[in-house]
Amino acid sequence: MKAYNISKHNSFYVVGLSYKKADAEVRGKFSLGDQAQDSLLKQAHSSGIDGLMVISTCNRTELYGFAQHPYQLIQLLCGNTNGTVEEFQSVGYVYKNNHAISHIFKVGTGLDSQILGDFEIISQLKQGFLKSRSNEIANPFLERLINSVIQASKRIKNETEISSGATSVAFASVQYILARVPDISNKNIVLFGTGKIGRNTCENLVKHTDNDHIVLINRTKDRAEKVAGKFNLLVKTYEQLQEEIAKADVLIVATGSQRPTVNKDLIHTDKDLLILDLSIPKNVDDNVEDLANVTLVHLDRLSQITDETLKRREKFIPKAEKIIEEVENDFRQWLETRKFAPTIKALKKKLKNMKDAEIDFQRKKIDGFNEEQAEVLSNRIIQKITTHFANHLRESPNSSDESLELIKKVFQLENNK
């Protein structure tokens, strides 16, 4: 398949790793927080990279951008995380040009999600693009690509039932709790942190457990009160965390930290305690499992739900893929047009110069020469000629490179970037 390059010297790459080959611990090493993302984008901009976008979620970290070689992007990723090049080589992937474009469509439409049809990723792609734009490293290619992926995502949501039914990590968390903790409405539940999955889990808990005394703790109390008001939760201060854990039957951790925020030193209770760690990287230290009364369950385990809802969703994959193919083809056509636009522009300029010279010559030679009519007539002819060339290039994508070179040679056009 022919490569689609925006620049003559660079290719478009996706460099990343996901839940498919990298476990939670490895994904945690390559996780990029907001500050790390900004730092990476600034470094890329100063090194002359034209167009780069980053996403880092529970299930994947990916860079989408232009480079002479993918190693440039791999170095940026490893230089701003705790992951090494050797670790990346064992679990990471690199896609180039067409394959990179197809991959981002699969990611953004939920077909590559750990839970099929999970569309939370699309908002993260939007945020990733906005961050690139604010760091002045977004280009028209990335903007058009992300908008196309958003369009495909919306169509799949509206035209298929691939996201129907209640299934998400948050839902799986609640199902896990309901199945293992009897009389949940009377149990003590503590939510530590206000990460998105944690908030969604809390909302599901309120809906499905009839528990009216769920406690929310966050390092920033104002943020906790904001979330608590929405879900009717009790707010306690960060200083009361150890005290509340001692009373808890269920502890949900969604702190979004780069290192563990809960370890066995915080736990002083003999009662059975179920801990759900909904964070990447892990926010609960594995040493809590040294305590006989503690059961620790991580996000990855909750993500691996295979229920009837997911089986039903699989039936809509072919229709979703057909929608992606349509939108992706539209994007490729735009890209192809963009590739030859500079040549058409140069051709139009060349014809206009020829026209201006000829009109100037005829004005001096012919008495009463109607310059206005000659301008209108000539401009219409130029428009028709360039339109014919543009249509030919659009309709013959397999030979467009040869046609472009021929046009440049015949009309002696300068090379345009």
Side-chain angles (χ1 to χ4, degrees):
M1 208 172 184
K2 192 160 69 66
Y4 290 83
N5 295 350
I6 277 287
S7 161
K8 195 172 183 180
H9 305 292
N10 288 342
S11 294
F12 178 61
Y13 291 102
V14 172
V15 163
L17 62 147
S18 75
Y19 67 93
K20 289 183 178 178
K21 281 185 74 176
D23 62 22
E25 187 177 346
V26 174
R27 295 201 309 275
K29 288 183 182 180
F30 287 93
S31 177
L32 286 159
D34 281 342
Q35 284 186 332
Q37 288 182 35
D38 282 326
S39 176
L40 187 154
L41 292 170
K42 283 182 172 67
Q43 288 169 32
H45 186 265
S46 63
S47 69
I49 287 177
D50 172 34
L52 181 67
M53 203 180 103
V54 181
I55 62 164
S56 188
T57 73
C58 295
N59 290 327
R60 71 182 68 243
T61 296
E62 293 185 338
L63 274 61
Y64 313 103
F66 290 89
Q68 291 182 339
H69 192 278
Y71 190 64
Q72 291 173 268
L73 303 183
I74 295 168
Q75 279 185 310
L76 279 169
L77 174 61
C78 296
N80 287 279
T81 64
N82 295 318
T84 65
V85 173
E86 291 73 26
E87 284 173 310
F88 179 86
Q89 286 171 336
S90 66
V91 298
Y93 43 78
V94 174
Y95 299 110
K96 181 179 179 181
N97 292 329
N98 278 348
H99 296 298
I101 291 167
S102 295
H103 177 75
I104 195 171
F105 269 96
K106 279 188 73 177
V107 169
T109 54
L111 293 194
D112 200 61
S113 296
Q114 192 163 20
I115 296 176
L116 178 65
D118 185 350
F119 283 104
E120 282 187 19
I121 189 72
I122 199 66
S123 65
Q124 286 150 340
L125 282 170
K126 289 178 189 174
Q127 290 303 312
F129 177 75
L130 291 174
K131 192 177 277 288
S132 292
R133 193 158 67 183
S134 68
N135 281 283
E136 299 180 344
I137 196 165
N139 61 16
F141 174 94
L142 280 176
E143 183 169 12
R144 182 76 176 224
L145 178 58
I146 294 305
N147 284 336
S148 296
V149 173
I150 292 167
Q151 181 192 350
S153 175
K154 282 179 181 173
R155 281 192 57 190
I156 289 169
K157 277 184 189 175
N158 295 333
E159 297 174 31
T160 78
E161 294 176 47
I162 205 163
S163 60
S164 63
T167 181
S168 64
V169 173
F171 182 75
S173 304
V174 175
Q175 293 304 305
Y176 190 93
I177 292 167
L178 290 173
R180 286 159 183 80
V181 183
D183 192 25
I184 191 64
S185 60
N186 293 315
K187 300 292 185 184
N188 294 326
I189 302 172
V190 175
L191 172 64
F192 177 36
T194 54
K196 187 171 184 181
I197 293 175
R199 294 198 308 272
N200 289 346
T201 300
C202 226
E203 186 174 11
N204 277 282
L205 278 170
V206 171
K207 275 185 195 172
H208 298 288
T209 64
D210 293 325
N211 190 311
D212 61 359
H213 56 283
I214 299 171
V215 170
L216 174 61
I217 296 175
N218 195 58
R219 286 181 187 273
T220 312
K221 194 179 179 188
D222 289 350
R223 189 177 172 89
E225 285 172 342
K226 204 172 182 179
V227 175
K230 186 178 178 185
F231 301 128
N232 195 26
L233 311 175
L234 306 173
V235 174
K236 301 285 184 176
T237 64
Y238 177 63
E239 288 71 30
Q240 294 172 286
L241 177 62
Q242 188 170 310
E243 177 189 336
E244 291 301 321
I245 290 176
K247 294 186 278 184
D249 300 286
V250 178
L251 170 64
I252 301 164
V253 181
T255 41
S257 172
Q258 292 297 304
R259 55 184 60 85
T261 53
V262 172
N263 58 43
K264 69 177 183 181
D265 296 334
L266 268 177
I267 301 168
H268 299 277
T269 177
D270 295 324
K271 66 196 291 194
D272 288 341
L273 176 63
L274 172 63
I275 303 178
L276 271 58
D277 185 357
L278 306 183
S279 313
I280 292 286
K282 290 179 179 180
N283 280 190
V284 179
D285 197 306
D286 289 337
N287 67 15
V288 301
E289 293 187 283
D290 295 345
L291 304 171
N293 59 314
V294 171
T295 302
L296 173 62
V297 180
H298 191 257
L299 179 83
D300 272 7
R301 190 167 160 196
L302 295 166
S303 297
Q304 293 163 359
I305 54 170
T306 52
D307 60 7
E308 290 175 12
T309 305
L310 286 178
K311 289 291 178 191
R312 184 172 174 275
R313 288 181 176 195
E314 288 172 5
K315 296 175 186 175
F316 299 101
I317 291 176
K319 191 170 182 183
E321 287 176 335
K322 192 169 186 303
I323 292 169
I324 291 171
E325 186 182 355
E326 288 173 16
V327 180
E328 195 175 334
N329 282 340
D330 287 344
F331 174 76
R332 293 188 195 284
Q333 284 179 16
W334 169 82
L335 197 52
E336 195 66 25
T337 302
R338 191 173 167 79
K339 189 173 76 172
F340 60 72
T343 302
I344 295 298
K345 188 177 178 182
L347 174 61
K348 189 176 278 191
K349 185 178 178 182
K350 182 82 174 207
L351 293 173
K352 185 178 181 297
N353 289 341
M354 292 166 69
K355 178 237 350 173
D356 290 343
E358 188 60 30
I359 286 178
D360 189 50
F361 175 75
Q362 296 298 341
R363 185 175 60 241
K364 293 171 184 174
K365 187 178 178 183
I366 301 171
D367 289 336
F369 177 68
N370 192 326
E371 191 174 337
E372 191 178 334
Q373 283 186 348
E375 278 279 355
V376 172
L377 185 65
S378 303
N379 286 336
R380 283 180 62 83
I381 291 170
I382 289 171
Q383 186 60 45
K384 287 179 185 295
I385 291 169
T386 52
T387 299
H388 271 286
F389 276 116
N391 288 339
H392 166 74
L393 291 165
R394 257 194 298 269
E395 291 161 11
S396 310
N398 293 328
S399 61
S400 62
D401 286 342
E402 293 85 350
S403 297
L404 283 170
E405 288 308 313
L406 184 61
I407 293 167
K408 289 175 185 176
K409 189 175 179 181
V410 170
F411 289 94
Q412 298 176 329
L413 304 177
E414 292 179 7
N415 285 329
N416 285 272
K417 280 191 178 182

